[in-house]
Structures are given as structure tokens and as C-alpha cells.
Amino acid sequence: MLKVEKLVAGYGKVEVLHELSLSVPEGKLVTLIGSNGAGKTTTLRALSGMIRPQSGRILLRDADITGLASHEIARRGMAHSPEGRRVFPALSVADNLLLGAFTRLTGTRGRGRGRGDVQRDLGRMFDIFPRLAERREQLAGTLSGGEQQMLAMARALMLSPEVLLLDEPSMGLAPKLVEEVFATIARLKAQRITMLLVEQFAAAALDVADFGYVLENGRLTASGEAATLKNDPAVRAAYLGQAH
Amino acid sequence: MQILAQLIVSGIAVGMIYGVIAFGYQLTFATSKTLNFGQGEALMLGSLVGLTVVAFTGYWLMLPVVLAFGLLQGAVVERLGVRQAIKTKSESGWIMATIALGIIFKNLAENIWGRDAMKFPSPLPEAPLSFAGVNVLPMEIVIVIGAIGMMLLVELFNRRSIFGKAVVATANDREAAGLMGINTSLVITFSYALSSMTAAFAGVLVAPVTLTGASMGSALGLKAFAVAIIGGLSSGFGVVVGGLILGITETLTGYYLSTGYKDVPGLVLLLLVLSFKPSGLFGRASIKKV
């Protein structure tokens, strides 16, 4: 579904990612783990067009999307729940969700995909995230951190995406909420939504994922089935030590 | 007492014009944190194009033509003067560029329509109506209704339509709006178009009670800028109040002090607001996150 070949990206003259290659198969949950500053967020930002890759190729369903603007990539079906949630604070919860479906509501979604019934999907989001249903008319800026995270994920899902990029959905949340977020991710996986999950909670991410990559200083140092990675002594020592 | 009432009523009409132009400043500031310093010239061009068209169509049919012209003119300003500055994250490039475009438009107008002020035909009787001894021009009532109506329509568009919501989303967080599939460059072009459209509309509203001409825009644009600062660049409601404050203080000073000092109180108010509440009387304080 999503294929990345020798991606080089960074900010200005600073190169953060050095020839990164990875792939996310259809219907699978792939996680990208690594310590702070390894380049996880940069990877997602390059994939969704928030920054322009310096070289390499990004293929979405075999179509080359390298170097496209973020709105063009979204129109091809890539949804990104970004670091820091980035909900629209001055808009209501319901309006945030509708904007998630902007490409579908305005017919700008390419190749007739993602048509479906936006209102029905809105109802579905309120089923998955009951807290959002209660706060439907409330301004997103007044939500708690956990609720904003739910909203960011639901908003991305409203795109009816081919691939969903999730950047640190657990960041800054209380342990109970972190559990809730991971339970939601497991539910989405059961619905066979293709996902690339970036996480600092490596253990929890590997528990829920099919496949994992380990990123260190902008380079992949390990990859494999999530279960295998979890038992890899090197990975355990570096990333799972504290968590387990 | 009657004189005071009369002065306030006259000030209201002028103030609403300031308010509409200031509202235009807000539109572009919201989406792009930039302003069109040629906003007064957008008003002047709208008014002069209106003057030419009105001879063929009459006042009311002239309005859609002027609105369309305003949209186009604003889009041109954004494309030529602002887009590149935003792309290169230039802090000040757009300031000079929009001022320069304003001067060019003014020169263009002087060459097409001449330098003299001209009378703009009024669509309504020019005899004032009298309410308890206070005279009101019918056109002044149209100004107030038109100005409020225009702002309400834009507000309604922003709140109700998905495209309007996309504008608000772009204003909230441009990067995140891009992730939704919103073409935020286009949204910014659109906000410039809308901003010039409101200015052009203000131009044909005010022209029948003042005069029209190539130099009518500069002072109006500057005063409306003061209003936008006084009312707050982020508060839609603030510019109406700011406009009324400035309009009324001007007419009061003009009568009780001297017309020579007419412009002073508004500018003093501007300086006071900048010293004590820089985000405007009704603006939200913006905290720059690092």
C-alpha cells in the first residue's frame, strides 16, 4: 500500500533521515519506534508532504506522491494525525470532524474513492469515541488533552483513508488514557485499516502492531515481525528496558 | 442635545465604512497574518469602476459587477504581492509589495479617471429624512445596513459552509488544514479576494455621500487600519465598535473643536490602544509559542 524508498529528508540543510526504506502492506499495522530525535516525526511529516523530501521515492498504491503538497497527498487518501494533535481550536468537535472529510465533501478526492456517506461515518466516530459525541458542539480548544487526541484520530479517520499515519497518539496522556488509545488502535486494526504508528511506548506499540521498524539517528537499525522484534535482545535493551 | 444626536448619527455612517474596510483587513490577517496595505485603493478602484458601470446599469445592477471586480483585484494583489513573501516566510516583503501595488493602482486610476473628485449618482433621494429633528440621509441608512449585511454574510459563510470552515481551519492551523486536503494557498488567495470585495463594496456605499476620485482611498484605508488595530485584528465584532468610536469622535471633534483636528482623536486613541492593549480593545492576546 505505502512504500518508501531511500527517503532523504530534513529541515533546511540539516539532513534528518538518511535513505530510509520501509513499507506498509494493505490492512496491516506497522510501527516505527525509536528514541527521541531519531527522526520518527520527520518521517511522517515527509510522507504526508508537510516537508518536502530531498530525495527518494514515496509510493501510495504504486502512484508516486513524492514532493506533492500535503493537500494533494491527502486527496490521494493519506490521513495524518500529527504530533501535538493540531485540532482546530476555534471550531467545534463536529466541524473538526467534517473538515477531516473535506476531500469527500468537496469532491476533490481523487479517483472517486472515499465517497461513502460522510454523515454515517460521523455517527461511527461518535460510536468509537463516545466522549466526542458528548462534546459534539464544544470548541475543540476547550477539550482535554485526551479528548483532543481522540478528536485528532477521528478527524484523520473521517478522510476514509487508504493509509493512516499516527504520530505519538499517547504523548502527554495519563496512563489510563494511553491504554484507551491503544485499545482504540487495536479496534481500528481489527477493521483492517492500514496504519503506520509512530510511538515512544515501544512495548505497547509492538504489542499491537504486525510489523515494526526501529529508527536510530535517521537510519533503520532493525525490522521484523512485531513479536520477533519484541524478543530481540538488542531492541529489548535499548527500547523496552524501562517499559517492561 | 439635538446637535449632539445629529453628530453621532453622522458619525455612525462614516464609522460603519471604516468598520467594513477594517473587516477586510481582518480577513487576510486571519488566514495569512498579512494585510493588504492597498486596501484603501481597492475601495477607490471599486468606487471608480462603479462610477463607470453605473452609467449603463443603474446603481443596484452595478453592485454585482463591482463585487466581482473586487474579488478579481484582491486575487491579483495576493498573487503579485503576497504569495512569494509567504512562501519564503518573509516577515516584511508583503508590506512593501502591497503598498507598491496600492500606489500603482492609484496612478492607474489617475490616468483613467483623472485627478479630480467626482460626484457619484445617489440611488436614493438626497433630501435628508428627519427623525425628531435629526437629519439622516437615506444613503446613510443603506450604508449601515449594507455594511452590517456584508459582514454577516461573510460570517455566515464561514460558519455554515464547508468552504468557510476550511477558511477558519486555515486561520487556526495552516499546516493541519493542509493535512485535511485543503489547498491553503488558494484559501489565502480567496481571503484577499474577499477582502478587496468588501472594500470595493464600501467604496460604492460611501461614494454617493462623499465624492469619488483617485485619492479617496488613502485616508480611508489608513483610518480603517487604525480601526482594525483599535478593535483588534482578531475580533469581527471589534471592528464595528472601533469604526463607530472613530467615526463619532471625528464628527464630534470636527464640530466642537475644529475640523482641522478631526483626525487627531482617533490617532491618539490608536496610540493609547497600542500602549495599553496592543491586541486591540476586543482582540485576544496572542501568545507566540516557541
Side-chain angles (χ1 to χ4, degrees):
Chain A
M1 173 66 77
L2 178 65
K3 217 179 201 135
V4 180
E5 294 167 356
K6 296 195 171 173
L7 179 68
V8 177
Y11 303 93
K13 287 203 168 77
V14 185
E15 193 180 304
V16 178
L17 302 175
H18 318 290
E19 304 214 331
L20 186 89
S21 296
L22 58 81
S23 75
V24 183
E26 180 154 14
K28 297 291 181 193
L29 168 51
V30 174
T31 185
L32 185 62
I33 58 176
S35 50
N36 245 337
K40 304 187 297 291
T41 293
T42 306
T43 307
L44 295 194
R45 288 174 65 88
L47 292 181
S48 65
M50 290 167 90
I51 55 172
R52 192 179 281 270
Q54 288 157 15
S55 67
R57 292 211 311 162
I58 303 165
L59 302 171
L60 179 63
R61 267 195 194 281
D62 296 324
D64 194 339
I65 58 165
T66 323
L68 294 183
S70 58
H71 69 270
E72 292 167 311
I73 292 179
R75 288 170 184 188
R76 283 167 173 76
M78 180 111 74
H80 184 172
S81 168
E83 181 182 35
R85 296 143 200 156
R86 307 285 287 267
V87 295
F88 302 116
L91 287 168
S92 70
V93 167
D95 282 349
N96 267 272
L97 293 173
L98 283 178
L99 281 165
F102 179 81
T103 57
R104 303 164 66 196
L105 291 167
T106 56
T108 45
R109 184 67 175 275
R111 282 180 291 151
R113 289 184 198 279
R115 286 276 160 84
D117 186 342
V118 171
Q119 284 306 322
R120 192 200 59 209
D121 286 355
L122 196 62
R124 205 145 63 189
M125 288 310 135
F126 289 140
D127 288 341
I128 304 178
F129 306 100
R131 296 282 288 173
L132 296 183
E134 290 165 29
R135 310 208 177 275
R136 174 181 189 129
E137 297 308 325
Q138 203 169 313
L139 294 186
T142 66
L143 299 181
S144 72
E147 289 161 350
Q148 286 192 3
Q149 184 55 53
M150 300 295 177
L151 179 57
M153 286 170 67
R155 184 181 67 175
L157 283 166
M158 286 298 287
L159 189 86
S160 180
E162 310 270 317
V163 181
L164 172 59
L165 309 178
L166 291 172
D167 196 346
E168 302 266 11
S170 69
M171 187 152 65
L173 299 186
K176 178 133 180 46
L177 283 169
V178 174
E179 259 174 57
E180 212 176 299
V181 165
F182 275 102
T184 308
I185 293 172
R187 280 182 70 183
L188 298 177
K189 184 194 169 191
Q191 295 172 25
R192 293 192 44 82
I193 291 175
T194 312
M195 283 181 279
L196 178 57
L197 168 68
V198 153
E199 255 302 334
Q200 274 201 74
F201 283 115
L206 288 173
D207 273 338
V208 70
D210 296 301
F211 205 82
Y213 290 92
V214 180
L215 190 64
E216 223 172 276
N217 296 322
R219 284 192 177 83
L220 292 176
T221 52
S223 66
E225 298 285 332
T228 321
L229 269 186
K230 222 187 157 189
N231 295 317
D232 184 312
V235 174
R236 288 189 74 94
Y239 302 104
L240 308 177
Q242 256 72 49
H244 265 214
Chain B
M1 197 59 217
Q2 207 168 12
I3 291 173
L4 184 66
Q6 178 67 61
L7 290 170
I8 289 174
V9 165
S10 307
I12 287 174
V14 188
M16 289 311 294
I17 291 294
Y18 294 151
V20 178
I21 310 169
F23 183 70
Y25 283 121
Q26 285 184 338
L27 293 175
T28 63
F29 188 74
T31 56
S32 65
K33 297 284 173 286
T34 63
L35 303 166
N36 179 5
F37 282 108
Q39 189 79 331
E41 276 62 43
L43 175 143
M44 170 274 291
L45 280 180
S47 167
L48 287 172
V49 167
L51 179 68
T52 300
V53 175
V54 82
F56 300 99
T57 60
Y59 190 83
W60 307 109
L61 278 176
M62 169 273 295
L63 289 178
V65 180
V66 166
L67 295 183
F69 172 81
L71 282 173
L72 190 71
Q73 193 261 347
V76 168
V77 169
E78 195 272 343
R79 278 300 169 94
L80 294 183
V82 183
R83 172 158 298 197
Q84 205 53 31
I86 294 176
K87 205 178 263 172
T88 55
K89 300 198 164 61
S90 159
E91 292 274 356
S92 52
W94 54 271
I95 299 178
M96 272 323 292
T98 56
I99 292 175
L101 282 166
I103 295 171
I104 293 171
F105 285 131
K106 190 177 172 199
N107 274 297
L108 200 68
E110 283 171 350
N111 281 299
I112 299 175
W113 288 280
R115 287 161 176 270
D116 300 329
M118 287 166 281
K119 169 116 184 60
F120 198 104
S122 175
L124 297 173
E126 289 176 88
L129 308 169
S130 183
F131 298 97
V134 175
N135 289 332
V136 184
L137 291 173
M139 200 57 209
E140 287 178 330
I141 299 171
V142 172
I143 287 176
V144 173
I145 294 172
I148 292 174
M150 170 64 77
M151 289 187 266
L152 284 180
L153 275 179
V154 173
E155 248 340 88
L156 201 67
F157 169 79
N158 279 348
R159 278 173 203 223
R160 291 298 153 107
S161 80
I162 185 71
F163 293 103
K165 286 169 189 176
V167 173
V168 180
T170 305
N172 272 201
D173 186 333
R174 190 176 169 198
E175 246 188 353
L179 292 179
M180 303 300 109
I182 297 163
N183 183 348
T184 54
S185 305
L186 196 62
V187 169
I188 290 172
T189 307
F190 173 73
S191 65
Y192 265 82
L194 210 56
S195 168
S196 281
M197 186 191 84
T198 56
F201 182 59
V204 290
L205 279 182
V206 76
V209 292
T210 58
L211 293 167
T212 182
S215 54
M216 77 183 289
S218 327
L220 282 172
L222 187 69
K223 285 179 186 169
F225 183 63
V227 164
I229 301 295
I230 292 169
L233 274 167
S234 55
S235 159
F237 158 77
V239 287
V240 176
V241 180
L244 293 179
I245 292 174
L246 187 63
I248 292 168
T249 49
E250 271 185 13
T251 51
L252 292 182
T253 324
Y255 182 82
Y256 289 112
L257 224 56
S258 146
T259 44
Y261 284 116
K262 184 164 83 78
D263 297 336
V264 173
L267 296 173
V268 169
L269 186 62
L270 170 71
L271 293 174
L272 286 176
V273 168
L274 282 176
S275 324
F276 295 109
K277 201 163 179 311
S279 58
L281 289 180
F282 305 94
R284 289 174 288 266
S286 71
I287 299 154
K288 209 167 191 176
K289 282 187 189 156
V290 199

